[in-house]
Amino acid sequence: MPPKKNVSTPSSTSAAPSAAVATPISTPQTSHNVPSSNPISILEGIFKNYSQSTPQRTKLIDAFLGFLVITGVLQFVYCVVAGNYPFNAFLAGFSATVGQFVLTASLRIQSNPANKSEFASVSPERAFADFVFCSIILHLFCTNFIN
Amino acid sequence: MRLQLQSDMASRTAFLLFFVNLFVSWVSATPLTGGRVLAVIEEQYDSTKYSQFLMDLKGRGYDVKLEPAKKDTLSLFEHGEKVWDHVILFPPKFKGYGPALTPQKLLEFTKLGGNVLILTSPSSIPEQVRELARELDIGLPPKDYITVDHFNYDTVSKSEKHDVILANRPAVSPAVHNYFSGKQDDLIAFRGAGHTLGNGPLLVPLLTAPRTAYTYDSKEDFAYAQDPWAAGTQMQLVSAMQARNNARITLVGSVDMFSNEFFDMKVQKPGSTKPQKTANKEFCRDVAAWTFGEKGIVKVNSIKHYLSNEPNAPVNPNMYRIKNDVTFEIELSEYDIDRWVPFKVPSGDSLQLEFTMLDPYYRVPLLPSSTSSNATTFTTSFKIPDQHGVFAFRVNYKRPYITYIDEKYSVTVRHFAHDEYTRSWDISGAWVWIAGIAVTIIGWIGFCALWLWSAPAAAKVGVKKTQ
């Protein structure tokens, strides 16, 4: 057990400084000084920053969130345009998407390494298990409610 | 052995009783509402004056008993039950009727279902009749007021006063039942006083005065009327009140209408070429027949309601569901002199069914669907409204000249049970939201798979190292 701890900790600590070192190097030198007035380059900077520094799983969550937003907007637009006739169906469909969005956002907060200090007692595995459990309940509820 | 004997005796008495019953029912082929008629008439002479009318009643199965108005033993009731089914009051010779015929007693008599036919003459309207008329909201003229008509009088009887007026039968209306219309060129001779009707909804005119008739005080010696008491078609010659229990009180302004003299009289209107016989006999028979319940009695034979779309649905269930398709049937018969005939709704009228909870939610016409030899079935189908609660099927048909129909049957209307709603996939409008749920769930499964697959590299390194 001790060796494992010893081995694992240096690697994580070494990774963290390297990331921390990498960001300052990229930001002040290239993007901050010269083209600060150009909005496109700012957006490019944000995108680059995001794609470089965000963990793989958080990116996955973000993609899923985006997908849910699109699905939810489509359902709502349909309701506005075509009417809410089977109202329970609208509620079920829309709340399935919204609820899934909320649960996924919660997962993102809990599993984000940046928030580790706030959720000391919640490991990423535990957060994911909670997420799966709540999602299943949500799906059961919605399929039942749409009748 | 003894037991057997007893049962034998019992069966024999039952057998006998059956035959006695049969005999009784055959002998008393009485009218529907009973045949015991009390005719309050003063003298023997009077009864011969009206013998045709009274004989006609007897011929139709009535047991007519003549009694003088002041007779002490005369009573309408015995042990709280009415002794007579119908009463005819002829005008008394003296001041009034005896203590048996006070207005209160007469009203009590009608409360028990008895019918009253009141005949008056201008010279003798007793106080009892005035009081009764006041209670019924019928305005009787003062003593010695008579009705005359200088355009529709009888030229044959050569009366200077023009007091034998000739009235036409009431016009046929498409909206009401016509029991008094007869032939349209019939003339009815009338000598007496008209009366006015109040606003009571139970009052109906049977014979209305001609347009040019008026009532005035005959004791004043004027060649014309200074101050007519009532005039024109607002004045009624014969009118009736049908109480809420369907008992009928008919008031006739002229007793002479019912006399043999008027039955056989030939009359002629001014301007017409030849005299014609009066229709008094037929009209008086109509009046008496209607008053005594030989006509205009409507009976509800049966009421059925059931689910329209299910062939084996129970009849008259206590409960329906909202939006059920329901059929309602009511079978009606009408009594016509001596038998039940199919009831017909006049062409200008409509029999309606109400589906009510405090207020009618629906009021739909009931249409005749089938007719048997003595009844008509009226049917309607409708969809129960989207409202649960205790509803009532109600047929409220109250029309002049016929007995009132007011039938009410409550049913419970429940809402959908949870498994009776339409499934969402049967509604095309819900398909988008079904797709929304499906996409969300599929997306979630894919997300979970990707999540598990893309475990962070750091953890993997750790696991590898330990192994």
Side-chain angles (χ1 to χ4, degrees):
Chain A
M1 287 300 277
K4 177 188 154 194
K5 218 177 201 173
N6 290 340
V7 174
S8 60
T9 35
S11 68
S12 63
T13 43
S14 64
S18 69
V21 170
T23 35
I25 289 168
S26 61
T27 38
Q29 285 182 349
T30 52
S31 54
H32 251 282
N33 290 342
V34 190
S36 61
S37 56
N38 188 358
I40 296 172
S41 60
I42 292 174
L43 286 176
E44 272 174 0
I46 290 172
F47 180 72
K48 197 184 263 177
N49 200 3
Y50 174 81
S51 52
Q52 281 178 1
S53 63
T54 314
Q56 176 68 27
R57 278 184 160 174
T58 311
K59 280 181 185 165
L60 180 63
I61 287 176
D62 287 341
F64 188 48
L65 287 177
F67 167 76
L68 288 174
V69 165
I70 292 165
T71 318
V73 165
L74 282 178
Q75 289 184 66
F76 191 77
V77 165
Y78 176 77
C79 174
V80 168
V81 171
N84 62 359
Y85 160 50
F87 190 57
N88 64 316
F90 164 69
L91 286 181
F94 192 61
S95 62
T97 311
V98 171
Q100 191 64 64
F101 182 88
V102 170
L103 292 174
T104 314
S106 309
L107 175 67
R108 188 184 196 279
I109 294 169
Q110 288 193 343
S111 65
N112 196 349
N115 297 336
K116 200 144 205 170
S117 57
E118 273 190 71
F119 299 104
S121 62
V122 183
S123 66
E125 288 75 19
R126 170 65 198 272
F128 183 68
D130 284 351
F131 167 74
V132 168
F133 179 70
C134 293
S135 298
I136 287 174
I137 288 177
L138 176 72
H139 297 156
L140 285 177
F141 169 78
C142 289
T143 46
N144 194 32
F145 190 69
I146 202 169
N147 186 18
Chain B
M1 188 64 195
R2 183 180 288 172
L3 227 155
Q4 201 182 355
L5 197 80
Q6 268 182 352
S7 69
D8 206 39
M9 286 266 285
S11 72
R12 199 173 298 165
T13 42
F15 190 66
L16 256 172
L17 266 177
F18 172 74
F19 270 97
V20 167
N21 267 333
L22 209 70
F23 182 72
V24 165
S25 62
W26 173 68
V27 164
S28 58
T30 52
L32 181 69
T33 47
R36 298 168 298 173
V37 178
L38 167 68
V40 178
I41 195 161
E42 210 56 59
E43 285 167 22
Q44 201 60 38
Y45 165 74
D46 273 356
S47 64
T48 52
K49 234 170 115 182
Y50 307 107
S51 62
Q52 282 194 22
F53 171 66
L54 295 172
M55 285 309 290
D56 185 43
L57 279 184
K58 283 177 187 160
R60 296 212 307 271
Y62 289 102
D63 177 21
V64 184
K65 190 118 190 280
L66 309 178
E67 296 280 8
K70 294 277 192 194
K71 192 179 169 188
D72 290 338
T73 54
L74 184 65
S75 175
L76 296 176
F77 313 100
E78 191 175 29
H79 310 309
E81 285 292 321
K82 58 186 168 52
V83 198
W84 312 97
D85 297 310
H86 318 288
V87 170
I88 307 175
L89 297 178
F90 285 88
K93 278 273 175 303
F94 307 108
K95 265 212 120 167
Y97 299 115
L101 298 168
T102 61
Q104 290 78 22
K105 293 241 168 89
L106 286 170
L107 283 182
E108 200 183 319
F109 180 68
T110 57
K111 269 182 199 159
L112 293 171
N115 302 312
V116 183
L117 176 61
I118 304 169
L119 310 175
T120 62
S121 82
S123 59
S124 132
I125 302 177
E127 194 50 41
Q128 283 103 325
V129 169
R130 284 188 186 283
E131 217 170 293
L132 180 65
R134 222 172 286 135
E135 209 151 324
L136 304 181
D137 208 5
I138 298 174
L140 287 177
K143 192 166 188 280
D144 289 326
Y145 275 51
I146 60 165
T147 301
V148 297
D149 188 338
H150 303 302
F151 295 88
N152 298 303
Y153 62 95
D154 174 31
T155 54
V156 178
S157 57
K158 296 208 170 52
S159 166
E160 286 294 311
K161 280 182 170 169
H162 298 167
D163 59 350
V164 177
I165 66 176
L166 301 177
N168 284 314
R169 290 262 197 172
V172 177
S173 162
V176 296
H177 295 261
N178 299 296
Y179 297 115
F180 306 101
S181 295
K183 290 204 295 281
Q184 273 309 293
D185 53 349
D186 279 353
L187 286 178
I188 297 154
F190 179 95
R191 184 169 63 202
H195 48 261
T196 56
L197 295 185
N199 291 325
L202 307 177
L203 290 170
V204 283
L206 305 191
L207 185 66
T208 302
R211 272 184 62 228
T212 45
Y214 62 91
T215 302
Y216 77 110
D217 187 356
S218 63
K219 284 286 185 271
E220 283 183 42
D221 285 329
F222 287 115
Y224 56 92
Q226 289 288 80
D227 185 19
W229 180 79
T233 50
Q234 297 219 319
M235 189 166 61
Q236 313 298 334
L237 304 180
V238 181
S239 46
M241 190 213 61
Q242 178 169 284
R244 298 210 186 274
N245 66 347
N246 297 321
R248 289 161 177 174
I249 301 177
T250 303
L251 190 107
V252 181
S254 155
V255 70
D256 293 329
M257 264 178 88
F258 286 73
S259 67
N260 295 350
E261 180 199 348
F262 274 48
F263 277 18
D264 299 330
M265 194 160 63
K266 292 216 169 202
V267 292
Q268 191 177 354
K269 259 190 177 181
S272 72
T273 48
K274 61 174 192 303
Q276 72 178 94
K277 201 170 171 299
T278 61
N280 277 35
K281 189 170 186 172
E282 294 76 28
F283 181 74
C284 292
R285 185 198 290 146
D286 287 347
V287 168
W290 181 81
T291 307
F292 296 164
E294 287 178 54
K295 287 178 178 180
I297 304 278
V298 182
K299 178 175 77 166
V300 179
N301 294 325
S302 71
I303 281 180
K304 276 198 271 182
H305 52 84
Y306 50 85
L307 289 174
S308 309
N309 302 329
E310 292 177 28
N312 297 323
V315 173
N316 298 353
N318 290 323
M319 192 181 279
Y320 287 104
R321 200 200 63 207
I322 57 169
K323 294 178 176 176
N324 267 158
D325 290 304
V326 169
T327 301
F328 180 87
E329 291 181 9
I330 185 168
E331 195 181 292
L332 296 177
S333 295
E334 181 185 359
Y335 197 71
D336 183 30
I337 308 290
D338 54 355
R339 66 191 198 286
W340 291 102
V341 296
F343 177 72
K344 281 196 191 71
V345 175
S347 60
D349 198 8
S350 159
L351 181 68
Q352 290 178 322
L353 168 72
E354 289 174 357
F355 195 59
T356 68
M357 182 165 66
L358 297 181
D359 301 314
Y361 279 61
Y362 282 146
R363 188 178 284 138
V364 285
L366 282 159
L367 300 174
S369 62
S370 68
T371 308
S372 71
S373 61
N374 53 11
T376 313
T377 307
F378 295 87
T379 311
T380 192
S381 296
F382 65 97
K383 193 184 269 294
I384 286 182
D386 191 357
Q387 169 77 50
H388 65 270
V390 176
F391 278 84
F393 290 103
R394 184 159 191 226
V395 178
N396 184 8
Y397 189 70
K398 288 174 182 153
R399 296 291 183 275
Y401 309 123
I402 64 164
T403 55
Y404 308 125
I405 302 170
D406 191 354
E407 298 287 335
K408 199 172 175 184
Y409 287 88
S410 312
V411 290
T412 307
V413 175
R414 64 174 174 85
H415 42 62
F416 281 102
H418 82 281
D419 58 348
E420 282 176 324
Y421 287 97
T422 329
R423 303 312 293 249
S424 56
W425 53 82
D426 291 330
I427 306 168
S428 57
W431 289 350
V432 167
W433 295 306
I434 293 174
I437 290 185
V439 162
T440 307
I441 291 175
I442 292 167
W444 174 76
I445 291 170
F447 167 76
C448 288
L450 284 175
W451 174 279
L452 293 174
W453 177 72
S454 67
K460 272 183 188 168
V461 170
V463 170
K464 264 183 189 169
K465 288 264 162 94
T466 48
Q467 281 168 350

